Amino acid sequence: MLKDISFGQYYPTGSILHRLDPRVKLLIMLAYVILIFFVKSYIGYILFALMVISTALIARIPLKSLFRSVKAVIFLVLFITIINVFFYKGEGEALWSWWKLAVYVDGLVFASKMALRLILLVLGPALLTYTTTPMELTNAIESLLSPLKLIKFPVHDLAVIMSIAMRMIPTLMDETDRITLAQKARGADLDTGNIFKRIKAMVPILVPLFVCAFRRADELALALESRCYDATPNRTTYRVLKLKGRDFLFLIMFLVFMAAVILDVALPIYYPCDATWIEGFYDNAFFSLFGL
Amino acid sequence: MAIETKNLSYTYSVGSPYQKTALKDVTLHIHEGDFCCILGHTGSGKSTLLQHFNGLIKRTSGELRVLDFDLNRRKPDYKSLRFSVGMVFQYPEYQLFDDTVSKDVSFGPKNMKLDEEEIKKRVREALTLVGLDPDEIGEKSPFEISGGQKRRAAIAGVIAIRPKILVLDEPTAGLDPKGKKEIMSLVKSLKEKLSPTVVMVTHDMDLVAEYATKVIVLKDGEVAFDGTPAELFNNNEIVNDCSLRLPSGVALANELREVGFDIDHNSITIEQVVDNLIKEIKPKENDNA
Amino acid sequence: MVAISFKNVSFTYDSDEDNVVLALSNISFDIHEGEFVTLCGGNGSGKSTLSKLTNGLLLPDSGSVEIFGIKTTPDEGDKKNKRIYDIRSTVGLIFQNPDNQMVASIIEDDIAFGPENLGVPRDEIEQRVTWALKTVGMEEYRKHTPTKLSGGQKQRIAIAGVLAMKPKVLILDESTAMLDPEGREEVLETVKRLNEEEGITILHITHNMDDCVYGDRILVLKQGKLAFDGTPQELFLNADLVRTCDLELPPIQNAVYLLNQNGIKIDDYIQDEKELARKLWQLKQKI
C-alpha cells in the first residue's frame, strides 16, 4: 500500500524538515557522510548521535521507525564488531587471549567506534529518505548538477530519465504484483525449493515484466515525441527550487555542528588513545577486506 | 454448491496507517452451473473477493467453501484449490512468457506434476477449445501472434488445468466489437464443455443482460444485491443506489413502458425487447390484413 | 480552414522483405477547423497508423499529409522537417494507455512537460498548467501523484498535458478503449466541451460506435481503405456496411435494424430510446 504514495520509505508528517529545500537536505547529507569518516573521538560520535536524534525529533519521525533502517545492516555491524574485538592487535597486555584470538582495550574501543560509525552512516541517509520524496531528490540532483550544463553535460536528459524512472517504478511494481498473481493462479510455486529452483521459478514473472516494460517504453517514446521533447535547446523549467528562511536557518545550524566536529577532529591532543588511529585503521587486515 | 461464503470479511494492512477493509460480511452462494456476474465500482472489493475463490488471498475471517474445499480448516489444500478454480485476469495476454504457445499453455499442467503424455493431451485440448490450431499456432512464439490470438492463448493456459470453476476479470477489456463477441462465445462454449460454473467481473451491462443467470453487486465491500439480472435491472432503488448503468435493452423497455407498451420485465436484451414488440405490434397488423 | 488534410496517402509497414503489410492505401479526406470527427474501424483497419501520420510520427510512403497547410514530410533536400515541432504542438495526440504517456510523478510537473520542451517562459507555463487542469476539471489534483487516479481521471490528465501546448487539434488514438463506461463518458464529455468552448478540432479514433454520437461526422476505415465518410445518421441507415467493417451498431440503432428486419418499418433516423418508443407507439395507434 505504501508504494501507492511513493515508493521508498518516505514518512509523511509535514514537519519543517519535510518542507525544507531538498538541495539543502542533500548537501547537508553529503557533508554529514564525509564528515563522519574524520571523526575519531567518542565526543565526536556523541555530537553526531545528538544531531541525528534531534533531527528525527524535529521531523516527528518515531525513533523506533528510524532505527528500523539499521536492521538491514545489523549483521554487517555485528560481524565487523566481533572481528575487531578479537583480532585487533593493541598495545599492552591482552585482557583475554586464546589461540590467535585476543581482546585488547584498544580493540574494544576501536570496535565500538566502528559500530557507531556504521550505524550513524545508515541513520543519516535514512533521515533524508524519510523526509524527502524521490521526486524531490530528483529535482535537487538536477538543480545541483545544472552548472555542468556549461561543459555540455546532458543534465536535462538525465533529469527526464530520472523523472520517468520515478514515475514508472510504482506502475511496474503493480504490474509485477498482477503477473505474480496470474502465474500463481496457474500453480506457479515461488516460495519453496532451493535457490536455483526459485530463480528458475521467477522466469514466468520476469519475462512478461520485461515484455511489458519494453512495450511501455515504446509507447512512452511516442508520447515524448508527440509532446515535443527535444524541440528546442532553450528548454525552460517549470519547477524552480527557491531557498527560504528556514533553509538558511538549517544550513547555519548545520555549519555550527560542523564547526564543533571539526574542532574535535583538529584537536586530537586531548585523546592520546586515538593518536595512532589512522595507522591502526590500515593495519587492520580484516578491515581492508571490506574496502573501508 | 460451487462457492459458498458466510460473513466473509477481509482487511488489508491491519494495524498500519494504510489499513483498509475490502470485504465486510459477504454472504453468498454460487451454484454449479451458474453464470454469475459480479458488478461493482473500482474499490468495491471485487478483486479481493475473486482472489479468495482460488486462495490467492487466504481467508482470515468468516467462512468460505469452494467446491469440496473447506477453507475454514486449519491447513486448506490451496494447491489443489488453484487447479480447480481457473482464474483469467484482466489483459491475460500480458502473462505469456514461454517461447512457444504450447509450452506456455503447458505451464499449468506441469505445475500439476502430470506426466508428459497427459500434459501434451491437455495442451492440445486447451488450444483446440479456444479455437487455436495446436500444430500451427502452438509452435509459434506467443509474441508473434495477433492480439486476439494472444488472449485466447492465455485463456488456454488457464483452462489447461481443467478447472471446474472459471473466474474471469473483464475478459473483453480493450477488445473491438468483433473480438468481444468472439471471446464471449468462447466463454459460453467453455462453460458448456469444460467448466460448468463461470464467475465474471464486467462493466458491460449488455453482457450481463445477455449472459448472466445470477448477479451479485458489491458496494463498499458489502453485498448490495444478489439475484437474477432481470430482478436487478427492474429494481430502480438498487440501480440508483449503486449507480449502475442499465443494459440498453432495459433502457429501451423502460421508455416503451412509459409510452404505454406492455413489455415483459424479463426482457432485458435488445433482442428480447424487439421480440416483445413484434408480438405487441404485429398480430394486429395481421388482423387488419 | 482545413485543419487536417490527407491526400492520396498510402503507408506500408515493412518489418522484413517478405512481410510487407499495407496499412493504409490511398486515403483522402479533409477535416475542417472546429469539426468533431469520429474515426471508426476494427482491429487492423489501419486507424492507429493514421493517427501517427497526423503529427509526423510516421511519414506517408506516397501522398501527403498537411496540418493547417504545413506538410509533415521534410522539404526536398532536408533530412528532418524543420517545422515538425510546429506540427506537433498544433496536433495533440492522446494515446490508449494513460500510464504510458505521463513522465512525472506529480501531476503539475507532467502537464508542464510539453510547454517546457517548447521553451515557454516559466510564468506562462504556470498559467497554462492552471488553465489546462481547470479545463479538464482536475484542479484539485494539481499536487497529487497520478498512480492513484481512476482510468478516466488519468486520461483527463493526459489531455491536460497536451492542452498545455495550446494545440488546435486533439487526436484521441483509442484513448477510451481501456476505460470503463464511466471513464469513457468522462473523457468524451471533456473532449466535447473542448470542441464547443475552445473551438479545438477533434479526431476521435475508436472501435466503439456508441462513441460517435459525440461527433458530427464519421469516417470508417476497412482494411486500410476509407469505407465511409458522412454523418452518423447516414451510416446507421447502412447497417450492412457497419457489419462488414467489424463494427457494431449502437444498441438503439441495432433495435431499429432488427425491427426493420421483422417488418416493422422505421425509415427515419432515431436518436434515442425516447424517440423510438414514441415512434413505435404512433405506429401501433395507426394500426
Side-chain angles (χ1 to χ4, degrees):
Chain A
M1 286 277 153
L2 192 66
K3 68 178 182 225
D4 292 339
I5 295 142
S6 118
F7 64 98
Q9 40 188 357
Y10 187 62
Y11 197 105
T13 66
S15 78
I16 184 164
L17 216 68
H18 287 76
R19 284 174 283 135
L20 226 50
D21 190 307
R23 289 172 301 178
V24 169
K25 287 189 267 186
L26 192 64
L27 283 179
I28 288 183
M29 185 45 49
L30 285 174
Y32 171 100
V33 168
I34 294 168
L35 217 53
I36 207 168
F37 277 100
F38 289 96
V39 172
K40 39 194 184 172
S41 72
Y42 280 120
I43 293 192
Y45 286 116
I46 289 168
L47 277 175
F48 267 89
L50 282 177
M51 182 204 170
V52 165
I53 289 169
S54 55
T55 314
L57 289 178
I58 296 170
R60 297 205 294 273
I61 291 167
L63 291 181
K64 214 174 119 193
S65 306
L66 182 62
F67 279 100
R68 215 172 285 150
S69 59
V70 179
K71 254 193 197 161
V73 291
I74 196 75
F75 283 106
L76 185 67
V77 172
L78 281 176
F79 183 65
I80 287 174
T81 311
I82 289 168
I83 289 216
N84 277 296
V85 165
F86 290 109
F87 289 94
Y88 192 91
K89 284 268 177 288
E91 283 167 24
E93 206 159 309
L95 295 173
W96 175 86
S97 73
W98 174 75
W99 189 48
K100 286 192 173 166
L101 308 176
V103 178
Y104 294 89
V105 177
D106 289 2
L108 288 177
V109 169
F110 187 76
S112 63
K113 285 182 180 172
M114 240 346 129
L116 276 173
R117 176 178 293 164
L118 272 170
I119 290 169
L120 287 167
L121 208 52
V122 172
L123 287 179
L127 265 177
L128 178 68
T129 51
Y130 274 44
T131 58
T132 320
T133 63
M135 193 65 202
E136 288 173 323
L137 281 178
T138 316
N139 292 332
I141 293 169
E142 182 185 5
S143 172
L144 290 172
L145 289 181
S146 58
L148 293 180
K149 275 178 193 157
L150 290 175
I151 56 160
K152 296 260 153 76
F153 183 80
V155 175
H156 168 63
D157 287 321
L158 191 72
V160 170
I161 291 170
M162 285 192 295
S163 166
I164 289 175
M166 301 289 166
R167 164 72 194 81
M168 279 299 165
I169 285 170
T171 307
L172 289 177
M173 272 159 78
D174 278 347
E175 194 99 52
T176 315
D177 282 352
R178 251 203 313 273
I179 297 169
T180 309
L181 283 176
Q183 306 299 27
K184 270 189 174 171
R186 291 164 80 190
D189 190 354
L190 304 168
D191 312 316
T192 57
N194 59 36
I195 181 113
F196 295 107
K197 232 176 163 176
R198 284 196 199 191
I199 290 173
K200 212 181 148 215
M202 290 303 285
V203 170
I205 291 164
L206 292 178
V207 172
L209 189 62
F210 274 103
V211 171
C212 223
F214 283 121
R215 184 173 40 82
R216 284 183 190 279
D218 270 348
E219 287 180 30
L220 200 63
L222 290 177
L224 284 180
E225 275 199 60
S226 298
R227 289 173 77 181
C228 299
Y229 187 60
D230 232 7
T232 157
N234 306 318
R235 192 180 190 273
T236 45
T237 325
Y238 169 62
R239 188 168 287 271
V240 179
L241 295 169
K242 275 205 194 89
L243 290 175
K244 297 204 172 79
R246 54 175 180 248
D247 298 311
F248 290 108
L249 181 74
F250 270 85
L251 271 176
I252 290 166
M253 275 162 58
F254 185 75
L255 285 176
V256 171
F257 164 77
M258 223 165 113
V261 173
I262 288 172
L263 211 63
D264 174 59
V265 171
L267 301 173
I269 216 144
Y270 299 111
Y271 317 107
C273 172
D274 281 315
T276 53
W277 180 79
I278 298 287
E279 291 150 58
F281 184 85
Y282 286 109
D283 280 350
N284 194 309
F286 282 100
F287 226 79
S288 43
L289 270 182
F290 300 106
L292 283 168
Chain B
M1 192 71 70
I3 299 169
E4 196 181 349
T5 75
K6 201 174 161 201
N7 300 327
L8 188 68
S9 299
Y10 192 82
T11 307
Y12 285 101
S13 323
V14 182
S16 86
Y18 306 104
Q19 176 167 334
K20 188 180 177 288
T21 301
L23 292 179
K24 247 184 294 182
D25 284 330
V26 170
T27 301
L28 55 87
H29 305 269
I30 298 172
H31 294 93
E32 199 181 310
D34 276 346
F35 194 123
C36 176
C37 280
I38 298 187
L39 310 183
H41 291 276
T42 318
S44 59
K46 285 174 300 181
S47 318
T48 312
L49 182 63
L50 248 50
Q51 286 174 34
H52 270 90
F53 293 165
N54 73 343
L56 282 175
I57 290 179
K58 290 176 180 153
R59 180 201 68 88
T60 51
S61 147
E63 291 170 32
L64 174 63
R65 218 177 282 267
V66 179
L67 298 165
D68 302 331
F69 298 92
D70 182 357
L71 297 157
N72 311 312
R73 284 207 319 235
R74 204 169 245 276
K75 282 223 159 138
D77 185 359
Y78 282 114
K79 194 123 209 198
S80 313
L81 174 66
R82 279 188 201 156
F83 295 128
S84 304
V85 182
M87 182 90 93
V88 179
F89 282 86
Q90 233 182 80
Y91 297 100
E93 56 273 28
Y94 295 157
Q95 74 194 38
L96 297 169
F97 70 96
D98 226 324
D99 39 305
T100 72
V101 171
S102 288
K103 273 196 202 162
D104 200 284
V105 174
S106 72
F107 184 66
K110 268 187 198 147
N111 288 327
M112 292 172 88
K113 309 257 166 7
L114 299 173
D115 62 61
E116 279 298 307
E117 276 308 297
E118 181 65 19
I119 292 177
K120 265 191 195 149
K121 205 175 116 196
R122 294 251 181 137
V123 170
R124 289 193 77 85
E125 175 195 88
L127 284 172
T128 314
L129 273 171
V130 300
L132 296 177
D133 183 345
D135 298 310
E136 198 211 329
I137 305 290
E139 295 315 308
K140 283 194 177 164
S141 154
F143 303 110
E144 65 180 34
I145 56 180
S146 80
Q149 288 173 328
K150 275 185 199 169
R151 188 162 295 188
R152 284 162 180 274
I155 294 177
V158 173
I159 60 165
I161 59 177
R162 283 194 197 150
K164 296 199 181 66
I165 300 175
L166 191 59
V167 181
L168 304 119
D169 188 357
E170 289 200 62
T172 60
L175 295 177
D176 68 350
K178 193 176 156 220
K180 201 154 118 180
K181 251 187 202 150
E182 285 171 1
I183 288 294
M184 282 318 294
S185 64
L186 170 61
V187 171
K188 213 174 152 191
S189 88
L190 289 176
K191 184 176 183 308
E192 280 157 19
K193 292 178 192 157
L194 188 79
S195 315
T197 312
V198 170
V199 180
M200 180 171 95
V201 165
T202 182
H203 289 291
D204 189 330
M205 297 303 153
D206 283 355
L207 291 184
V208 178
E210 192 173 348
Y211 294 96
T213 59
K214 177 187 177 76
V215 190
I216 291 166
V217 183
L218 287 184
K219 195 191 171 199
D220 303 326
E222 291 178 271
V223 176
F225 175 87
D226 181 348
T228 67
E231 284 164 9
L232 172 65
F233 295 123
N234 286 306
N235 185 335
N236 288 330
E237 206 178 310
I238 297 277
V239 167
N240 292 332
D241 206 35
C242 301
S243 51
L244 296 176
R245 274 153 196 278
L246 288 177
S248 39
V250 177
L252 177 58
N254 286 348
E255 291 300 334
L256 289 167
R257 280 186 209 109
E258 195 83 5
V259 296
F261 279 104
D262 179 28
I263 304 289
D264 184 358
H265 280 88
N266 285 318
S267 299
I268 52 174
T269 67
I270 286 283
E271 284 78 6
Q272 288 164 344
V273 174
V274 167
D275 281 348
N276 246 264
L277 275 171
I278 293 166
K279 278 187 209 122
E280 280 250 331
I281 299 176
K282 269 271 182 83
K284 290 175 190 161
E285 214 175 30
N286 291 342
D287 291 348
N288 283 358
Chain C
M1 184 154 193
V2 180
I4 304 174
S5 167
F6 273 57
K7 286 198 188 83
N8 308 317
V9 171
S10 294
F11 185 85
T12 46
Y13 286 103
D14 35 358
S15 40
D16 52 79
E17 280 173 21
D18 323 316
N19 197 6
V20 177
V21 187
L22 187 68
L24 289 176
S25 86
N26 208 22
I27 303 275
S28 297
F29 62 84
D30 283 338
I31 293 175
H32 295 266
E33 202 173 353
E35 271 193 287
F36 190 133
V37 180
T38 312
L39 178 86
C40 283
N43 283 344
S45 60
K47 52 189 194 307
S48 258
T49 310
L50 193 143
S51 80
K52 293 185 186 86
L53 283 163
T54 53
N55 77 343
L57 285 175
L58 295 175
L59 298 173
D61 293 341
S62 64
S64 71
V65 178
E66 284 178 23
I67 304 301
F68 287 96
I70 312 171
K71 274 203 171 85
T72 58
T73 30
D75 292 337
E76 203 110 357
D78 280 352
K79 221 174 157 198
K80 197 177 172 185
N81 190 341
K82 291 197 185 88
R83 302 189 67 182
I84 193 71
Y85 294 111
D86 291 342
I87 292 175
R88 288 192 183 150
S89 55
T90 308
V91 182
L93 211 54
I94 319 286
F95 295 91
Q96 188 178 40
N97 190 339
D99 274 330
N100 298 350
Q101 42 191 320
M102 292 190 203
V103 294
S105 312
I106 307 279
I107 282 166
E108 60 174 338
D109 292 339
D110 187 76
I111 292 168
F113 182 72
E116 282 177 335
N117 288 334
L118 293 168
V120 175
R122 201 192 164 272
D123 290 342
E124 202 189 324
I125 297 184
E126 176 106 50
Q127 285 167 19
R128 287 194 188 190
V129 170
T130 310
W131 168 79
L133 277 171
K134 211 172 150 188
T135 312
V136 300
M138 295 286 289
E139 303 111 296
E140 70 258 51
Y141 294 92
R142 187 177 186 132
K143 307 270 178 201
H144 287 225
T145 151
T147 10
K148 279 215 148 181
L149 302 179
S150 74
Q153 288 175 320
K154 282 184 191 169
Q155 208 58 293
R156 272 151 68 199
I157 294 299
I159 292 175
V162 167
L163 278 182
M165 299 194 298
K166 295 267 176 180
K168 291 188 192 149
V169 182
L170 213 56
I171 299 183
L172 286 88
D173 185 358
E174 298 199 61
S175 315
T176 54
M178 293 180 78
L179 307 179
D180 59 14
E182 285 76 20
R184 215 172 69 208
E185 208 160 84
E186 221 175 286
V187 168
L188 286 171
E189 290 294 342
T190 307
V191 171
K192 181 86 188 155
R193 222 179 41 243
L194 286 170
N195 177 251
E196 282 165 0
E197 289 167 18
E198 309 283 338
I200 294 176
T201 312
I202 308 286
L203 176 60
H204 176 211
I205 299 173
T206 176
H207 54 232
N208 195 336
M209 293 273 282
D210 296 4
D211 293 350
C212 68
V213 296
Y214 287 90
D216 26 51
R217 178 174 161 203
I218 183 165
L219 302 175
V220 179
L221 275 184
K222 182 188 174 186
Q223 288 158 1
K225 292 198 176 69
L226 198 59
F228 180 86
D229 179 354
T231 62
Q233 290 88 319
E234 286 163 0
L235 179 65
F236 295 151
L237 295 174
N238 192 349
D240 294 322
L241 176 71
V242 174
R243 270 150 209 261
T244 55
C245 294
D246 292 342
L247 295 168
E248 205 172 49
L249 286 171
I252 193 73
Q253 308 303 335
N254 190 30
V256 173
Y257 173 80
L258 290 172
L259 286 166
N260 274 319
Q261 291 273 301
N262 284 287
I264 299 173
K265 289 286 171 220
I266 297 161
D267 296 326
D268 309 334
Y269 171 69
I270 303 288
Q271 202 183 344
D272 57 15
E273 288 89 352
K274 255 195 175 62
E275 200 183 337
L276 181 60
R278 232 183 31 241
K279 272 248 155 67
L280 285 169
W281 189 248
Q282 283 169 4
L283 205 71
K284 189 179 155 141
Q285 301 315 81
K286 259 187 240 162
I287 302 161

